Amino acid sequence: AIEHDRLQHAYLFSGARGVGKTTTARLLAKALNCRKSDKPTATPCLYGAADSCVSCSEISESRSIDVLEFDAASHTKVEEIRDIILESINVHPARDRYKVFIIDEVHMLSTSSFNALLKTLEEPPPNVAFIMATTELHKVPDTILSRCQEFEFRTIPMAKIQERLGEIAKAEGVKVSSDALREISRSGEGSMRDAQSNFDQVISFSGESIEVSDVVKALGIASVDSLTRMIDAIVNGVPAEALAIVDDLISRGHDLRNYCRDLLSLLRDILVMKTAGDAPHLLETAMLDAKSLKQYAEIFSSTDLLRLFNSLADTESRLRDASQSRYVLEMGLVKLIEIRRLKSLEEILNRLGGTEIDSDAASALKEKKTLKSNNPPQDAPFPTSSSAAADESNAVEDLPEQIETVEQSIEEELIEEPSDLSPLDRLRKDILNNSIVRLPPIESEELEHVDDGWLDGAYETKLALSGDDRLPIQGAKAMAVRMVGFDSDVRALEAVSTVETPRRTISVQTPEFEEIDVTDVPETPSIDATEEELRAYAERHPLVRQMVRTFRGKITKVSRN
């Protein structure tokens, strides 16, 4: 923007802590006011350089009268904003080109202070620039955001932090191993300022020679060995190892919540390796190398890792308010080990699914045996398999063979088991022989009517075999004759309650019906057909003929839909 002379009057820098927002604001102020150029330059004077101009030196040392930097967290009231900004904004810069206001942690301003800045941000005087920085962008009102040019600062890669710490160690004459630098860089969590503060703390604790053990002691973070021991305890199912790890953490004075966070980070790295493979940009801050992560990823399933992560996250949150943090952590780590013993819902359903099939087979055997011993073949239930014959006679002939096949297959399933059955096999045998079978759920589509010629014909034959001629009973007398068994006059019917008469079996001659060919559908009438033509079409249609014959009805009205 400076090189192309596309400067704005208000900038908003947002991002995580310690990633250089305020430092960049100072660099921008130096670029606007550097005296080595007659206009804003993208290469202002370096800090501490011998030929640095007065303006850049004063801005670097925070003593420039034209670059005003203040913390919004300490000046939240609207009166202070008026005194610092609004009263002096119309005064020209004393020496530099621009009067620059750097507002750090701008989200801490009160609502009244934001409202007071609105008009000034929208129409500032010439040669005035606002540079605001915040770590919580969502707290800045939209009215302020719309008047600023936003820049989001990302976290700094761990490799860059490690490189910078190496330069600092070299300048300070400190001997530090690469593994120790990596642990310090990882502790910064993408913040250069936090990493530098931790590095300074380690130097103060360890002196001029720093190893990984010194970093672990100084920062109170868990070592990689301690974390891998816990993962191995989960894999091998050894709760005693988890208790020993907690005891070691307590004796060394480690922060237990930090240990939980580090273990959460390791579980996350394993899950990333499991799901995304060796992705360098996703595993940049990983504690272990790719080979070790891949070994653990092959042991755990994604479901296992999610359950472990959620359980450990719950333990970490409860540690915040726990009065006995050691006990909470011990129980939480033992729970991680016990979680591995749980079976997934899919495995349970698969095992129960096999048991349900066997139970259905046992129920089918009991029903088929009863049908075979007490009823003739023609009275057995109709087969429902798709391989049933197309006509009734073939279906009845095939039925005994089908029953025999089902009996043989199920009897083989119910052969007497040896006495040394396992508990699971014994339970399975009991279920086969004694359980009450629940019918599977029926979908609504399965309940819809479907035309089945074989089934309809078999149903009519079944009614005929039972003596039902399917004709309507004419009047109460005929119904009484059917019920009591004689066909005398009405006076005899009135004496039924007092006279005991023997019952007689009525033999009904099965009527013979003309077979209707359901495929012989007449040609559809034209769109302008008359009512007589439509009636003739309906009388010839096989489905209508079946309905009229079955219900002894007649066609009363014909219309085209």
Side-chain angles (χ1 to χ4, degrees):
I2 293 173
E3 289 176 350
H4 296 87
D5 195 21
R6 305 285 296 181
L7 293 172
Q8 297 292 322
H9 61 279
Y11 295 93
L12 179 61
F13 297 162
S14 63
R17 66 187 187 281
V19 294
K21 299 185 294 297
T22 306
T23 301
T24 305
R26 293 170 184 160
L27 291 175
L28 179 57
K30 290 171 64 174
L32 294 175
N33 293 325
C34 183
R35 308 295 295 178
K36 283 189 174 182
S37 175
D38 56 354
K39 63 178 183 178
T41 176
T43 56
C45 301
L46 294 177
Y47 174 69
D51 57 346
S52 178
C53 68
V54 177
S55 178
C56 289
S57 298
E58 291 181 353
I59 293 174
S60 299
E61 297 170 0
S62 299
R63 55 186 181 87
S64 174
I65 60 176
D66 291 327
V67 178
L68 185 60
E69 178 181 346
F70 68 95
D71 183 13
S74 304
H75 304 82
T76 60
K77 297 181 180 180
V78 64
E79 294 82 5
E80 295 174 328
I81 296 299
R82 290 196 183 102
D83 293 340
I84 297 174
I85 298 178
L86 302 182
E87 296 296 335
S88 61
I89 195 170
N90 292 319
V91 178
H92 289 283
R95 180 187 58 201
D96 298 332
R97 300 187 193 93
Y98 286 87
K99 176 170 286 190
V100 182
F101 294 93
I102 299 177
I103 309 176
D104 201 8
E105 302 297 337
V106 68
H107 65 274
M108 297 296 292
L109 289 178
S110 64
T111 304
S112 301
S113 300
F114 277 125
N115 293 335
L117 281 175
L118 288 179
K119 191 63 177 178
T120 304
L121 287 177
E122 188 172 9
E123 298 177 357
N127 299 333
V128 172
F130 288 91
I131 307 175
M132 295 171 282
T134 178
T135 56
E136 300 184 36
L137 181 63
H138 61 281
K139 292 185 178 180
V140 180
D142 293 337
T143 52
I144 297 292
L145 296 177
S146 63
R147 291 166 170 81
C148 301
Q149 193 173 90
E150 300 179 39
F151 289 89
E152 294 185 5
F153 284 59
R154 300 179 181 178
T155 55
I156 303 174
M158 193 176 72
K160 293 289 185 181
I161 296 178
Q162 186 172 350
E163 179 184 353
R164 180 61 178 168
L165 293 183
E167 295 176 359
I168 295 175
K170 185 177 180 180
E172 296 292 334
V174 177
K175 183 180 179 181
V176 56
S177 65
S178 59
D179 291 339
L181 273 181
R182 179 180 175 84
E183 289 297 320
I184 298 173
S185 303
R186 184 174 62 84
S187 68
E189 298 179 351
S191 170
M192 180 67 75
R193 183 175 62 218
D194 290 358
Q196 290 179 352
S197 300
N198 292 340
F199 190 27
D200 186 50
Q201 179 178 342
V202 173
I203 293 176
S204 302
F205 181 83
S206 305
E208 298 181 355
S209 180
I210 302 174
E211 299 294 337
V212 176
S213 58
D214 300 322
V215 177
V216 170
K217 293 178 181 178
L219 300 182
I221 61 176
S223 63
V224 175
D225 292 338
S226 176
L227 296 173
T228 54
R229 280 177 60 196
M230 187 61 222
I231 298 296
D232 292 336
I234 295 174
V235 172
N236 300 322
V238 185
E241 182 68 12
L243 300 179
I245 291 173
V246 176
D247 184 69
D248 182 65
L249 294 174
I250 295 295
S251 63
R252 294 175 180 271
H254 288 296
D255 189 304
L256 300 185
R257 287 193 67 195
N258 285 341
Y259 179 79
C260 275
R261 296 190 189 103
D262 291 336
L263 190 56
L264 285 171
S265 178
L266 180 55
L267 290 175
R268 175 262 178 194
D269 295 338
I270 298 174
L271 181 59
V272 170
M273 176 61 73
K274 182 74 176 180
T275 56
D278 187 9
H281 63 288
L282 295 177
L283 296 173
E284 184 182 24
T285 60
M287 305 177 189
L288 302 180
D289 54 28
K291 182 179 179 181
S292 300
L293 290 176
K294 189 173 182 179
Q295 291 176 351
Y296 285 124
E298 293 174 352
I299 298 174
F300 295 100
S301 66
S302 299
T303 304
D304 290 337
L305 293 171
L306 289 173
R307 285 200 300 239
L308 293 174
F309 188 93
N310 291 332
S311 177
L312 187 60
D314 179 67
T315 300
E316 191 273 337
S317 63
R318 287 191 289 125
L319 280 173
R320 182 184 310 153
D321 302 322
S323 58
Q324 296 290 342
S325 56
R326 173 173 183 165
Y327 303 157
V328 174
L329 181 59
E330 287 177 339
M331 297 303 104
L333 296 182
V334 171
K335 183 179 179 181
L336 296 183
I337 298 174
E338 294 300 325
I339 283 178
R340 286 273 292 167
R341 303 175 186 266
L342 300 178
K343 299 297 182 183
S344 65
L345 184 59
E346 290 79 6
E347 295 178 10
I348 297 174
L349 290 178
N350 289 336
R351 295 174 63 180
L352 291 179
T355 302
E356 289 174 359
I357 293 173
D358 293 340
S359 301
D360 294 340
S363 177
L365 172 62
K366 185 181 298 184
E367 182 180 357
K368 296 297 182 181
K369 282 186 174 181
T370 303
L371 292 172
K372 183 179 181 183
S373 58
N374 297 335
N375 301 310
Q378 61 269 25
D379 287 338
F382 309 119
T384 58
S385 63
S386 59
S387 63
D391 55 71
E392 174 197 357
S393 60
N394 292 339
V396 174
E397 292 176 0
D398 294 342
L399 197 56
E401 182 180 352
Q402 295 177 11
I403 296 175
E404 189 68 27
T405 303
V406 174
E407 287 178 348
Q408 181 179 359
S409 61
I410 299 178
E411 284 175 353
E412 292 175 356
E413 183 70 22
L414 297 178
I415 292 177
E416 186 66 26
E417 303 274 356
S419 59
D420 55 345
L421 291 175
S422 66
L424 181 59
D425 291 336
R426 191 175 301 280
L427 175 62
R428 181 172 176 268
K429 181 175 180 295
D430 293 339
I431 292 176
L432 282 174
N433 295 324
N434 304 320
S435 64
I436 298 176
V437 180
R438 292 181 179 271
L439 294 176
I442 302 177
E443 301 294 338
S444 59
E445 292 79 4
E446 298 175 350
L447 297 176
E448 295 179 358
H449 174 72
V450 178
D451 291 329
D452 190 324
W454 179 90
L455 188 59
D456 292 341
Y459 179 70
E460 293 178 2
T461 303
K462 180 68 176 179
L463 291 177
L465 290 175
S466 65
D468 190 344
D469 58 3
R470 300 180 302 135
L471 298 177
I473 300 175
Q474 301 294 334
K477 178 180 178 181
M479 183 177 292
V481 169
R482 286 288 187 92
M483 296 177 63
V484 302
F486 57 86
D487 53 358
S488 182
D489 55 9
V490 178
R491 289 174 298 176
L493 293 177
E494 295 174 351
V496 170
S497 59
T498 58
V499 179
E500 182 177 353
T501 58
R503 294 178 177 270
R504 294 182 302 176
T505 303
I506 300 176
S507 62
V508 181
Q509 181 68 29
T510 302
E512 295 182 2
F513 299 106
E514 176 189 358
E515 185 177 357
I516 299 176
D517 186 4
V518 295
T519 62
D520 186 17
V521 180
E523 183 179 356
T524 306
S526 61
I527 192 67
D528 54 351
T530 64
E531 184 176 356
E532 289 76 11
E533 292 175 338
L534 292 177
R535 179 178 292 274
Y537 167 77
E539 291 175 347
R540 294 195 307 271
H541 199 285
L543 295 181
V544 178
R545 291 169 60 195
Q546 279 189 345
M547 294 293 292
V548 170
R549 186 183 72 179
T550 301
F551 296 103
R552 307 289 292 179
K554 62 180 180 179
I555 301 175
T556 60
K557 182 180 179 181
V558 181
S559 62
R560 177 186 293 276
N561 289 333

